[in-house]
Amino acid sequence: MDNNQQFISNVEIKEISSFKTTWSAPSNIALVKYWGKKEIQIPCNPSISFTLDHCRTTTSVRFERLAEQPDYLPFSVHYDGKPATSFEPKIKTFIDRILPYTPYLKNYNIQIDTINSFPHSSGIASSASAMAALAAAIMDLEKQLNPSMNLEDQTKKCSFLSRFGSGSATRSVEGPIVIWGEHEATPQSSDLFAICWSNAADVFKSYRDTILLVDKGQKEVSSTVGHKLMNNHPFAKNRFVQAKANYKALLTILEKGNMDEFNDLIELEALSLHAMMMTSSPSYILMHTNTIQIIQKVRKYRKETGLHLTFTLDAGANVHLLYPAHEAKKIDQFIESDLRKYCQDDELIYDRVGTGLKKV
Ligand code: DP6
């Protein structure tokens, strides 16, 4: 069993006065959803995700060594070169949570400059990619301070730290298919960090994810609030049982390369997530009329053509269309002719499964 102790770093072999590093981390889309958590950021059920490629956050961090340790941790955040004070509370919570594992941070002033490849107001949650990119920069500093750390430990701790910023960020470190959360079917998986799962058939390693931007605004109810509503949810217990069963079933489907079974399970997971929102107290609906229109059209198209187009949803109105690369030509035409019109300002993002963090 993994425990937090293994991630505490007390070694500062080298003293570094100034260090700047830049990392790019992708977003990810869950296939089996993480919905419901225990403190701090421990999932109530295991999840599986596709790591994306084009939707990324790039973050530069400059660490300047302080003459003496202050009582508070000095940091600043810029987005696209401009001060971004609205990001500060989330980053402060993140740093406070990771300090027991990264005590060396207390010696530094931290300047963060970040930017997303996708439009800031696109309704796409940027916390996963943002927190993973920031954690990667911090782990790069740790590597400078302790050069004997190997890449495997650096990657694992990066995922571990990312989790404290946002649960789903833990899955944005590696790719193309990632698992997070304990389950007897994957004895190597952990609640504390995510790992790559490499047994999937090749067809799933080049899958497309086209994101239809149905609503580019901020969500009415944040994921963090949604997770909390699972605490007293009348269906929570059954949902966790269902998610665990779907996790195991999806591993087999991915291994076999069975796209028909994949479609059925992925859509069931997406709609089960939204069913939890609709039956929370208070109840809420994040899907829009256009979300439903797209779902109906996707199902009709699949029935008529036999092509493997399916959808999933995160905690919002946007629709992620998943399909194999070898069917992309025809499906992209259908998206252009029949689905783009349901997007706000006709905007969508063509993305695909990717490999995770990149040092810039
Ligand atoms: C529906 O990771 O955004 O996208 O841990 O509170 O930051 P916090 O929540 P977050 O929740 C993600 C929920 C989801 C499903 C998923 O990504 O597994």
Side-chain angles (χ1 to χ4, degrees):
M1 173 95 86
D2 294 293
N3 66 60
N4 290 324
Q5 301 303 314
Q6 65 185 297
F7 295 105
I8 299 175
S9 151
N10 286 318
V11 258
E12 260 187 82
I13 293 164
K14 281 170 95 183
E15 205 181 285
I16 311 257
S17 58
S18 173
F19 177 62
K20 187 179 173 205
T21 185
T22 304
W23 287 80
S24 154
S27 186
N28 70 77
I29 181 71
L31 305 171
V32 172
K33 311 290 180 180
Y34 144 63
W35 199 241
K37 61 175 157 182
K38 301 170 240 171
E39 290 300 316
I40 303 172
Q41 309 288 86
I42 296 294
C44 291
N45 64 263
S47 56
I48 309 182
S49 54
F50 277 156
T51 303
L52 298 187
D53 192 26
H54 304 327
C55 289
R56 310 185 76 89
T57 300
T58 301
T59 299
S60 294
V61 185
R62 177 180 287 281
F63 301 93
E64 292 288 346
R65 201 173 164 96
L66 300 158
E68 51 192 65
Q69 281 190 5
D71 315 335
Y72 64 97
L73 197 82
F75 74 93
S76 63
V77 195
H78 285 70
Y79 182 84
D80 197 12
K82 296 181 199 77
T85 44
S86 63
F87 293 178
E88 283 174 8
K90 205 157 185 183
I91 292 181
K92 182 167 184 328
T93 304
F94 171 64
I95 296 176
D96 286 345
R97 284 175 177 172
I98 67 166
L99 266 183
Y101 310 101
T102 56
Y104 51 83
L105 283 181
K106 289 189 191 135
N107 297 325
Y108 290 91
N109 178 24
I110 304 170
Q111 289 165 260
I112 302 164
D113 202 334
T114 189
I115 188 157
N116 294 336
S117 65
F118 45 94
H120 189 44
S121 57
S122 60
I124 301 182
S126 59
S127 54
S129 51
M131 291 301 170
L134 181 55
I138 292 169
M139 284 313 297
D140 199 3
L141 173 68
E142 184 166 324
K143 171 76 182 169
Q144 309 306 313
L145 297 170
N146 177 14
S148 65
M149 179 169 52
N150 65 40
L151 183 62
E152 199 186 320
D153 288 346
Q154 188 177 343
T155 307
K156 196 199 256 192
K157 185 165 174 183
C158 185
S159 174
F160 170 81
L161 295 183
S162 303
R163 198 190 88 233
F164 291 104
S166 181
S168 52
T170 202
R171 297 187 314 241
S172 270
V173 172
E174 294 184 280
I177 299 171
V178 169
I179 54 176
W180 170 40
E182 285 168 18
H183 193 289
E184 57 275 9
T186 47
Q188 73 282 29
S189 66
S190 170
D191 282 348
L192 304 183
F193 53 86
I195 53 170
C196 226
W197 188 76
S198 47
N199 299 359
D202 282 346
V203 69
F204 289 116
K205 295 180 184 164
S206 58
Y207 242 57
R208 299 300 168 96
D209 179 356
T210 297
I211 309 166
L212 302 183
L213 303 178
V214 172
D215 183 4
K216 299 193 284 178
Q218 266 217 315
K219 300 172 207 172
E220 278 161 54
V221 182
S222 74
S223 291
T224 305
V225 170
H227 281 288
K228 278 207 187 105
L229 292 175
M230 287 301 278
N231 290 342
N232 296 311
H233 198 296
F235 306 142
K237 220 169 133 206
N238 283 346
R239 164 61 196 156
F240 303 143
V241 170
Q242 179 205 31
K244 281 175 199 159
N246 285 347
Y247 174 89
K248 192 170 176 210
L250 183 60
L251 295 178
T252 310
I253 291 168
L254 291 171
E255 232 163 18
K256 285 192 300 187
N258 190 324
M259 291 184 284
D260 292 319
E261 287 178 15
F262 178 81
N263 297 342
D264 291 344
L265 194 123
I266 290 321
E267 295 185 4
L268 174 65
E269 265 296 308
L271 296 178
S272 299
L273 168 72
H274 281 257
M276 289 301 109
M277 298 171 192
M278 291 194 259
T279 49
S280 292
S281 184
S283 61
Y284 63 107
I285 304 176
L286 295 183
M287 287 188 281
H288 288 195
T289 314
N290 282 357
T291 312
I292 307 283
Q293 298 268 26
I294 293 164
I295 290 174
Q296 308 287 30
K297 288 245 168 170
V298 165
R299 288 185 159 177
K300 188 162 174 272
Y301 177 79
R302 190 166 66 226
K303 209 166 169 195
E304 284 169 4
T305 63
L307 294 176
H308 297 91
L309 173 63
T310 187
F311 70 87
T312 188
L313 307 164
D314 60 14
N318 296 336
V319 183
H320 288 248
L321 296 177
L322 304 177
Y323 46 101
H326 66 269
E327 294 178 6
K329 211 169 159 213
K330 281 192 182 148
I331 292 176
D332 288 349
Q333 277 168 8
F334 167 68
I335 292 170
E336 290 300 331
S337 61
D338 287 59
L339 301 182
R340 192 188 267 275
K341 62 179 177 225
Y342 294 111
C343 301
Q344 193 176 351
D345 303 325
D346 288 344
E347 269 194 66
L348 53 77
I349 299 171
Y350 284 103
D351 208 336
R352 62 182 65 202
V353 165
T355 50
L357 286 178
K358 286 179 192 158
K359 187 167 175 160
V360 180

